[in-house]
Amino acid sequence: MCGIAGWVDFSCDLTQHQDIAQAMTNTMARRGPDAEGLWLGRHVALGHRRLSVIDLEGGCQPMGAEEGPGSRAVLTYSGETYNFQELRNQLASLGHRFKTRSDTEVVLRAYQEWGPDFATRLEGIFAFAVWDLDREELLLVRDRMGVKPLYYATTPSGVLFGSEPKAILAHPDFEAVVDADGLRDILSVAKVPGHAIFRGMREVQPGCIVRVSRSGAVEQRYWQLRVGEHTDSLDRTIGTVREMLETIVTEQMVADVPLCTLLSGGLDSSSLTALAAQVSRSRGQGRVRSCSVTDPDPAGAAGVHGSQANDDQFYARLLAQHVDSEHSELPLKAPDLLDPALRSSVLAGYDLPIAKGDEHASLHLLFGLVRGHSTVALSGECGDEVFGGYRWQRDPDAVFSPTFPWVHEGRANYQGNEVIFAPDLLAKLDLAAYERDCHSTAVAEISAGDHLDDAAEARYREVTYLALTRHAQVLFDRKDRMSMATGLEVRVPFADHRLVEYTFNIPWAMKSFDGREKSLLRAAMKDLLPEAVAQRVKTPYPSIRAEAYNRTLRERLAGVVRADDGPLATLFSAELKRAVAKEGAAALEQGMSRAALETTLQLDDWLRTYDVRVAL
């Protein structure tokens, strides 16, 4: 999937600063272990680290095009454009001549032919930068759903950018600072599109282009979910979902390297594995490969998934046998997830503190094991958001609450901030007001009530929008960072924008026509799945249930509080310091969620490791 980095500065000659540009590019090594490249112009430096997936011999980057129709341009590209063959044929008919088989060159030629509007023609997951030599303009482009990350920081005379924050942090003129807004993002439970935690840094928003010229940086939207009417019958809707999934999975199985599916045994991953097996057979490629996680001691104190492990393992094996996939089971143990070296690697991959350390650590280990035999994997991420699989999407109390429904349902899972942090800090941050503002801003983007007469249906449409634009973003970030940290490309068919657009406006009554979660997906896929898998009730994402894990977190946090000389010392509440001094880790047993423990520990590690200055 690759990693990109770059720098535009209209005030100096960047050919004299190759060392800085190279340092920024080097931070992307784990995203692109196969090759590297650096292109320098007077006012621009473009860096690239490559994970070779299509056209292994060609496709090296940054890639330039100084001949043919349109502007001369240079591209540094991360991602996959699934309709590149169709676009290639169209561009060839318009006079373009291709030197490689890569989708990278197709994207570059598409810019030459259609200019900034080319983004609307691309179907895939991508984040890239294109420098127009004639206009002296940089375009930063991100895919519609925000599956692939892209960060940037404007400067007085240009911009810094990269696939991950670490690329920008490698520039000597960018200072790592977190202010009140950044802490609000860290300690709240709502991801805000565009926010990047570090002061002065932003993410290119999903479905947007940032245009950088001598006059500054301007963000423009090229795609937006919109409320509309769904006119298809139930049968036609089910048939369309099936047809779209077959097309999408077929497109996303194009690769010149080994590919597998991530199989949990749930409806989403089972559906993708069944479709992938069907595609593989139709192409004469033999058995598809599938991978799942197992816990060698599911009933013991160190169980990774608690009692769910046996269930997941059973259903994954059942599906694998049913479609005759080449199935691998990868063992993970809870003690491994507490390894300080693994925790450091997770932070190095993510660049930010996170609330669910066990989930990120387990994914990091899983992807490392998968990378041993596959370079590309298909994942069922976003199936719940698209088809309505979460309990909070079906619980009226959560749906009609005045906040994000997953927050309403799971607020107890995040309690503890009021115990850990000083009252004056919490008053300054006012997280409750921040949460309300984030929710109000999000629902205003879609204005469902202006388009639908039924207030209840309008709210369900808002909840779907929140799921797709806020909740899914956290999952995309987790999947991208932990997979790319091991050099594994993960594709997410359920996040294809065509499927998202089609399902978004399906009335909730039709989405849940049989009274269950993911009714449409279940109906569309039932003929390809074993009955037990097709009818399986959704289970939550696996997490550690062992008390020993929580106890270790409390002990580690108590040690941080006792030290009283770390970066969080002035932010801890005086009452917490007194309680820990008297009772030790036992002071953290009541009113303290795992998420609060994880977030605080990682916040401390992050401030230390990245030398982040707190500016309140």
Side-chain angles (χ1 to χ4, degrees), residues 532-549:
V533 174
Q535 299 304 323
R536 186 186 181 193
V537 176
K538 175 181 170 57
T539 57
Y541 187 92
S543 60
I544 295 174
R545 304 214 175 166
E547 172 55 26
Y549 182 89

Side-chain angles (χ1 to χ4, degrees), residues 276-289 323-324:
Q278 178 178 267
V279 171
S280 188
R281 288 193 299 270
S282 70
R283 290 176 172 171
Q285 296 174 336
R287 302 163 70 194
V288 73
R289 184 152 199 166
V323 302
D324 190 30

Side-chain angles (χ1 to χ4, degrees), residues 179-180 184 422-431 615-616:
D179 56 18
R184 290 185 183 100
D424 58 341
L425 172 63
L426 294 176
K428 180 181 182 66
L429 299 180
D430 197 354
L431 296 177
L616 298 176

Side-chain angles (χ1 to χ4, degrees), residues 6 107 130 139 183 202 251 259-260 312 330 334 400 519 543 554 556 587 590:
V107 173
V130 58
L139 270 64
L183 284 179
R202 286 186 58 78
E251 292 175 348
L259 177 147
C260 72
D312 291 340
L330 309 171
F400 295 101
S519 305
S543 60
R554 290 194 293 268
R556 289 180 178 178
Q590 300 300 319

Side-chain angles (χ1 to χ4, degrees), residues 57-259:
E57 298 302 321
C60 294
Q61 298 185 51
M63 181 179 289
E66 298 194 23
E67 75 292 335
S71 298
R72 298 177 303 146
V74 183
L75 174 71
T76 182
Y77 175 80
S78 169
E80 301 291 346
T81 298
Y82 301 126
N83 65 331
F84 77 98
Q85 292 285 13
E86 173 189 335
L87 291 173
R88 181 190 178 102
N89 293 337
Q90 187 176 1
L91 288 163
S93 71
L94 295 171
H96 291 269
R97 297 294 175 260
F98 291 87
K99 300 177 181 178
T100 74
R101 296 185 296 106
S102 69
D103 58 335
T104 301
E105 187 177 8
V106 172
V107 173
L108 181 57
R109 301 291 181 181
Y111 173 75
Q112 284 189 294
E113 181 64 34
W114 295 301
D117 290 340
F118 78 129
T120 63
R121 299 172 183 262
L122 308 180
E123 297 173 2
I125 52 176
F126 45 77
F128 58 85
V130 58
W131 172 254
D132 189 310
L133 283 77
D134 299 320
R135 297 171 58 89
E136 288 198 321
E137 181 181 59
L138 181 79
L139 270 64
L140 300 175
V141 186
R142 194 172 180 202
D143 67 71
R144 294 166 179 83
M145 291 295 292
V147 176
K148 291 288 103 182
L150 185 53
Y151 292 81
Y152 71 102
T154 58
T155 68
S157 51
V159 70
L160 308 170
F161 68 88
S163 295
E164 297 172 3
K166 58 174 64 69
I168 297 170
L169 295 172
H171 194 284
D173 291 341
F174 188 88
E175 183 186 6
V177 177
V178 63
D179 56 18
D181 284 338
L183 284 179
R184 290 185 183 100
D185 279 352
I186 293 170
L187 298 178
S188 69
V189 291
K191 177 175 172 61
V192 179
H195 288 201
I197 309 298
F198 292 98
R199 188 174 71 183
M201 189 185 299
R202 286 186 58 78
E203 278 190 280
V204 178
Q205 294 197 59
C208 287
I209 298 174
V210 174
R211 301 180 67 164
V212 182
S213 64
R214 291 180 182 274
S215 58
V218 178
E219 187 169 74
Q220 301 174 345
R221 180 165 294 281
Y222 70 90
W223 183 81
Q224 171 73 54
L225 276 172
R226 301 189 186 281
V227 176
E229 185 179 5
H230 183 79
T231 59
D232 287 353
S233 67
L234 176 59
D235 287 345
R236 181 58 192 146
T237 298
I238 293 171
T240 300
V241 167
R242 172 62 174 269
E243 293 167 5
M244 295 184 80
L245 285 173
E246 288 178 341
T247 297
I248 291 165
V249 171
T250 299
E251 292 175 348
Q252 297 197 18
M253 287 185 67
V254 174
D256 295 335
V257 291
L259 177 147

Side-chain angles (χ1 to χ4, degrees), residues 145-146 189-195 203 205-206 221 224-225 382 385 390 392 404-407 434-435 437-446 462-477:
M145 291 295 292
V189 291
K191 177 175 172 61
V192 179
H195 288 201
E203 278 190 280
Q205 294 197 59
R221 180 165 294 281
Q224 171 73 54
L225 276 172
C382 206
E385 284 79 3
Y390 294 112
W392 47 260
F404 300 97
W406 58 89
V407 174
Y434 182 68
E435 178 187 310
D437 291 344
C438 290
H439 176 262
S440 297
T441 299
V443 298
E445 291 171 1
I446 197 66
E462 288 175 351
V463 166
T464 302
Y465 183 78
L466 296 176
L468 291 167
T469 63
R470 269 63 178 178
H471 194 271
Q473 297 303 311
V474 177
L475 305 184
F476 293 153
D477 284 351

